[in-house]
Amino acid sequence: MNTKTTAIDTYLARTAAIHIKVDRLRQLADNHFGHDPEAIHWGHVGDLGRVDQALDDLLAIFDGQAK
């Protein structure tokens, strides 16, 4: 029996893991990332700015369309 992991097996596993993380990020975003909307401050804005930039960087890896 061949138990050697193939590239496609690892690729599919990582794709599934990414989907789980994207879904979790969406859930967090829908809930204001756990912050009370009445108590948002500039630190929260800065955090989202870093997340936004990181997402642009990730998108640039795959489609080159990020700004």
Side-chain angles (χ1 to χ4, degrees):
M1 175 178 230
N2 185 1
T3 60
K4 187 175 179 180
T5 302
T6 64
I8 190 64
D9 292 335
T10 303
Y11 182 92
L12 293 173
R14 289 183 180 175
T15 298
I18 289 168
H19 279 281
I20 290 167
K21 291 173 186 178
V22 167
D23 289 344
R24 181 64 181 136
L25 185 60
R26 182 172 288 123
Q27 290 171 351
L28 288 167
D30 289 345
N31 190 33
H32 307 287
F33 297 98
H35 300 121
D36 176 358
E38 300 297 321
I40 296 296
H41 55 73
W42 286 107
H44 298 129
V45 175
D47 291 343
L48 289 183
R50 288 193 304 279
V51 170
D52 188 40
Q53 181 61 56
L55 291 170
D56 283 347
D57 294 344
L58 290 170
L59 289 170
I61 292 170
F62 297 103
D63 69 8
Q65 301 298 315
K67 294 178 183 181

